[in-house]
Amino acid sequence: MAVFLTKESKVLVQGMTGAEGMRHTRRMLAAGTDVVGGVNPRKAGRTVRFDVPQTPAGLGTAHRFVPVFGSVREGVEATGADVSVVFVPPAFARAAVEEAADAGTGLVVVITEGIPVHDAVAFRAHAAERGTRVVGPNCPGLITPGQSNAGIIPADIAGPGPIGLVSKSGTLTYQLMHELRDIGFSTCVGIGGDPVVGTSHIDCLAAFQDDPDTELVVLIGEIGGDAEERAAAFVRDHVTKPVVGYVAGFTAPKGRTMGHAGAIVSGSSGTARAKKEALEAAGIPVGGTPTETARLVRTRLGNPARPA
Amino acid sequence: MDLYEHQARELLAEHGIVVPPADVTDSPREARAIARRLGGPAVVKAQVRTGGRGKAGGVRFAADPAEAELMTRRILGTDIKGHPVRTVLLAQPVDIDAEFYVAYVLDRTRGQFLAVLSTEGGTDIEEVAATRPEAVTRFPVDPTEGVTPATAAGIVRTAGLPARAADVLVRLWQVLIREDALLVEVNPLALTAQGRLTALDAKITLDDNARFRQARWGERDAPHDDPLEASAAARGLTYVKLDGEVGVIGNGAGLVMSTLDVIAGCGARPANFLDIGGGASARVMSDGLSVVLSDPDVKAVLVNVFGGITACDAVAEGIVTALDTVRPTKPIVVRLDGNNAARGHTVLDDRAHPLVHRATTMDDAARRAAHLANTT
């Protein structure tokens, strides 16, 4: 079991034939993802060859041939795909997500960075009406180590294990996976740092709570909005598994956007301190650094400290 | 991007919302001419992209053109909350019968916009919302439907504003959608003695991500108040100047924010936020390092990279390039992990620069950088 993404997931890649799409499709294939097709109306009918390094490393290369479809619907009809990963440029992202939702894919992972908020608002509502889950935009996607990888999270950081992870930040996802690589993860979900995202901390917490393979959840937040405060309340009321938190942005000045479009302390809200306090009030220990957060996870899981 | 008041006014006027006659200038002499043109008296308003300028002395009433010139001279060049006043707006005064608040704000949780209205305009709306929540009305706007005249009429009636405010609400929604705004706020929306609804002040935040389809935005770009920020922006870097002494460069907004916090936890203060982003090239790294090293406040630099898409060898090559071109005199602590980290370490080993210090973990790197900054 895993959350949202398993080895059974059949993945289409919208924008597969672009530079980013090619590079990451190869990486997804290498991670074991069942990539069943790409989508590009101008290249429909072609097949793209990927030279995929085999695991364990050094044991040669396999050739994988992935068909390109003219639309998501064609891809879904031909392959039974249920996941789409979107790599198309910002100007076309809204249409791409809505197309995937209309074609009935249950999960759309939007890697594209720099999508206008009005477009995110529109495709979020569109997908919700059709029962499609959107992860992102501006996110690294999600990985169920050893099973499937939909997005750009490096699959070799950590293997399978009992920790579920949900994070607004891609690199903090990688950092925590690295810190806890000896224990491993059920699923890691990068939900993205934009003001409007399709899947929230709460959605992931609820899914991890129901996932028998997840023993503990790491929740990574950052300044901006009140998603962490809401997640804290949800944990208090609905989550019985241990949760460990981390929040970035204590030193962020008010009114300045810190890299992520959604990472801004506006007025009196969105501060790291308020988020940390809310999490702690809900009984969630919050690490002062990623390393300390990893230590809290080890304590909670009863694992000894990782040998140096 | 936050617009200046005068830019926000222009946008409202373009969409048919009434604003008082006004003009903007950076010259006291011209201010006198503008006041004369407006009929004599004028409100002189500092143009800064921050709130609370009235309390800071940035808004003054001038009874005649001579006084307008004097007020302009006094306001120009002052500093309001760290924002230098480069221009002022002179607006024709208005006789006000009533003041309202009308805005669209983003509700991140619902992923849609809210119309926010109040019959208590002209004051600090956050304070009104805190002390008298019943005086502020919020309506979620269906993203598919938008705000039609019929929905606007209902909203305005419920909020207790005059019926004709519905037209303003519809037009303001068009501003939000067509201009790709994240926030539009009119405060106060004044009912004049002549019975017109007039926007006396406006705040608009545009979505930087929509730049590709908003051809006119270039002309609205404001100059950076900080020269280092201007230099970083010219090189396409995501950089925020802070007031400490440890320069910080990393990849990914979350990791960089976290690095700033870890630096602070080690008893030093970060001098900046600089995210080289995902998949950064050697060029981006070297540009970033040269911007940070040119900050006279910086005493030591911390480079913290966890390579996901970003290749650590490219980062290391960028560091080596900067060593040769910028010729730094300040220590640089480097922590590389993840994608191609071993090759990155080899690149740094080969260069063996005495100012480059290596750390194996993020915490260790921050401790060393903080120590170096505090002792040099």
Side-chain angles (χ1 to χ4, degrees):
Chain A
M1 263 290 288
V3 162
F4 306 146
L5 185 74
T6 69
K7 64 177 184 299
E8 275 75 41
S9 301
K10 291 180 188 299
V11 176
L12 283 175
V13 180
Q14 291 175 264
M16 184 181 80
T17 51
E20 289 293 297
M22 289 293 287
R23 179 182 358 182
H24 291 292
T25 300
R26 186 180 304 111
R27 292 167 69 137
M28 283 189 261
L29 286 166
T33 308
D34 189 10
V35 180
V36 295
V39 179
N40 183 338
R42 291 184 311 282
K43 297 187 177 173
R46 295 190 200 176
T47 299
V48 181
R49 185 178 115 164
F50 290 93
D51 299 331
V52 182
Q54 294 301 283
T55 48
L59 292 187
T61 303
H63 307 306
R64 289 286 299 271
F65 296 90
V66 179
V68 180
F69 298 98
S71 69
V72 179
R73 187 171 298 281
E74 283 172 36
V76 167
E77 281 168 3
T79 66
D82 52 3
V83 177
S84 184
V85 183
V86 176
F87 283 102
V88 307
F92 310 105
R94 174 180 170 184
V97 177
E98 295 187 353
E99 183 192 335
D102 288 342
T105 55
L107 172 65
V108 183
V109 182
V110 190
I111 308 302
T112 309
E113 182 178 355
I115 297 175
V117 166
H118 283 287
D119 291 7
V121 167
F123 69 58
R124 186 186 195 269
H126 189 97
E129 271 174 27
R130 283 152 188 81
T132 294
R133 167 174 305 287
V134 175
V135 172
N138 186 19
C139 79
L142 63 165
I143 182 168
T144 298
Q147 296 192 39
S148 189
N149 186 12
I152 64 174
I153 297 175
D156 54 1
I157 303 178
I163 306 171
L165 187 152
V166 52
S167 170
K168 280 181 173 178
S169 153
T171 37
L172 283 175
T173 300
Y174 311 162
Q175 177 72 32
L176 262 300
M177 286 174 72
H178 178 71
E179 303 259 9
L180 295 164
R181 60 193 181 279
D182 54 321
I183 300 177
F185 294 82
S186 54
T187 299
C188 304
V189 190
I191 59 173
D194 276 4
V196 172
V197 291
T199 291
S200 68
H201 282 112
I202 292 176
D203 298 330
C204 296
L205 285 163
F208 283 129
Q209 170 68 19
D210 293 340
D211 173 31
D213 290 346
T214 302
E215 286 176 33
L216 174 150
V217 183
V218 177
L219 184 155
I220 303 173
E222 62 188 27
I223 56 164
D226 66 349
E228 295 79 359
E229 286 87 336
R230 297 165 50 79
F234 182 83
V235 169
R236 190 188 54 223
D237 298 340
H238 301 286
V239 178
T240 55
K241 294 179 181 178
V243 179
V244 171
Y246 177 68
V247 181
F250 283 87
T251 46
K254 211 166 145 181
R256 302 299 308 268
T257 301
M258 302 299 273
H260 280 164
I264 179 167
V265 175
S266 36
S268 55
S269 73
T271 66
R273 182 152 309 284
K275 293 173 189 303
K276 180 177 194 279
E277 283 167 3
L279 291 167
E280 287 176 341
I284 301 167
V286 178
T289 69
T291 307
E292 193 192 327
T293 309
R295 244 189 329 264
L296 291 170
V297 171
R298 289 176 194 284
T299 311
R300 282 287 175 119
L301 285 173
N303 279 48
R306 179 189 173 76
Chain B
M1 172 176 46
D2 291 338
L3 293 184
Y4 288 110
E5 179 194 5
H6 66 89
Q7 296 171 320
R9 276 174 36 95
E10 279 166 27
L11 273 190
L12 296 187
E14 280 171 24
H15 288 272
I17 295 170
V18 178
V19 295
D23 211 342
V24 63
T25 181
D26 60 0
S27 141
R29 180 184 286 248
E30 196 186 343
R32 180 192 283 254
I34 292 169
R36 196 176 299 122
R37 214 157 54 229
L38 294 172
V43 186
V44 186
K45 304 162 94 174
Q47 297 297 286
V48 281
R49 292 177 298 164
T50 183
R53 53 185 180 160
K55 283 176 191 162
V59 180
R60 312 262 187 150
F61 179 78
D64 56 48
E67 206 176 5
E69 179 176 341
L70 181 69
M71 294 300 178
T72 301
R73 205 177 291 283
R74 277 190 194 159
I75 294 174
L76 282 175
T78 57
D79 180 288
I80 296 179
K81 297 182 182 174
H83 298 257
V85 182
R86 296 194 174 96
T87 55
V88 296
L89 180 84
L90 291 100
Q92 197 175 68
V94 172
D95 290 332
I96 301 166
D97 270 2
E99 294 182 312
F100 309 110
Y101 175 97
V102 181
Y104 291 106
V105 302
L106 182 64
D107 178 343
R108 295 166 53 135
T109 305
R110 297 173 194 243
Q112 62 191 76
F113 284 87
L114 299 177
V116 182
L117 293 85
S118 176
T119 50
E120 301 191 12
T123 48
D124 181 352
I125 195 70
E126 285 185 5
E127 196 180 314
V128 175
T131 54
R132 303 196 44 239
E134 72 283 359
V136 180
T137 327
R138 293 178 179 81
F139 301 85
V141 178
D142 184 317
T144 325
E145 306 261 314
V147 177
T148 63
T151 50
I155 292 171
V156 161
R157 192 165 46 244
T158 313
L161 269 65
R164 76 190 78 163
D167 180 57
V168 176
L169 205 62
V170 171
R171 289 175 190 276
L172 204 59
W173 179 255
Q174 284 160 3
V175 173
L176 185 86
I177 295 298
R178 291 194 191 150
E179 306 292 338
D180 266 307
L182 298 177
L183 167 76
V184 292
E185 180 185 84
V186 176
N187 186 30
L189 174 69
L191 182 64
T192 66
Q194 293 76 35
R196 300 183 83 183
L197 281 169
T198 305
L200 293 196
D201 194 359
K203 184 175 175 194
I204 294 180
T205 305
L206 300 180
D207 182 355
D208 291 314
N209 282 344
R211 188 172 288 269
F212 65 82
R213 65 183 173 205
Q214 299 285 352
R216 294 168 55 213
W217 281 14
E219 68 199 57
R220 301 202 175 104
D221 282 342
H224 282 268
D225 290 340
D226 182 278
L228 282 166
E229 291 190 353
S231 154
R235 299 172 201 230
L237 296 167
T238 308
Y239 174 91
V240 177
K241 176 82 175 96
L242 303 169
D243 55 7
E245 58 284 335
V246 181
V248 178
I249 303 174
N251 65 323
L255 186 65
V256 181
M257 265 190 276
S258 172
T259 310
L260 304 183
D261 294 346
V262 175
I263 289 278
C266 294
R269 292 175 310 161
N272 65 274
F273 169 102
L274 201 167
D275 174 12
I276 57 172
S281 64
R283 172 69 186 278
V284 171
M285 181 62 218
S286 109
D287 280 356
L289 202 50
S290 72
V291 166
V292 170
L293 285 167
S294 67
D295 179 351
D297 298 338
V298 165
K299 295 203 170 71
V301 180
L302 168 54
V303 178
N304 183 26
V305 170
F306 193 100
I309 315 162
T310 304
C312 289
D313 52 341
V315 170
E317 277 156 22
I319 294 171
V320 168
T321 304
L323 290 172
D324 295 333
T325 52
V326 187
R327 301 194 173 282
T329 55
K330 302 159 182 175
I332 302 165
V333 181
V334 183
R335 176 263 179 157
L336 300 174
D337 248 321
N339 184 11
N340 286 355
R343 270 194 258 172
H345 285 296
T346 307
V347 170
L348 294 180
D349 284 343
D350 290 349
R351 185 63 177 80
H353 195 284
L355 284 174
V356 175
H357 302 249
R358 304 265 286 289
T360 49
T361 67
M362 181 168 162
D363 288 10
D364 179 38
R367 261 193 307 273
R368 287 206 206 184
H371 177 74
L372 287 164
N374 286 335
T375 52
T376 47

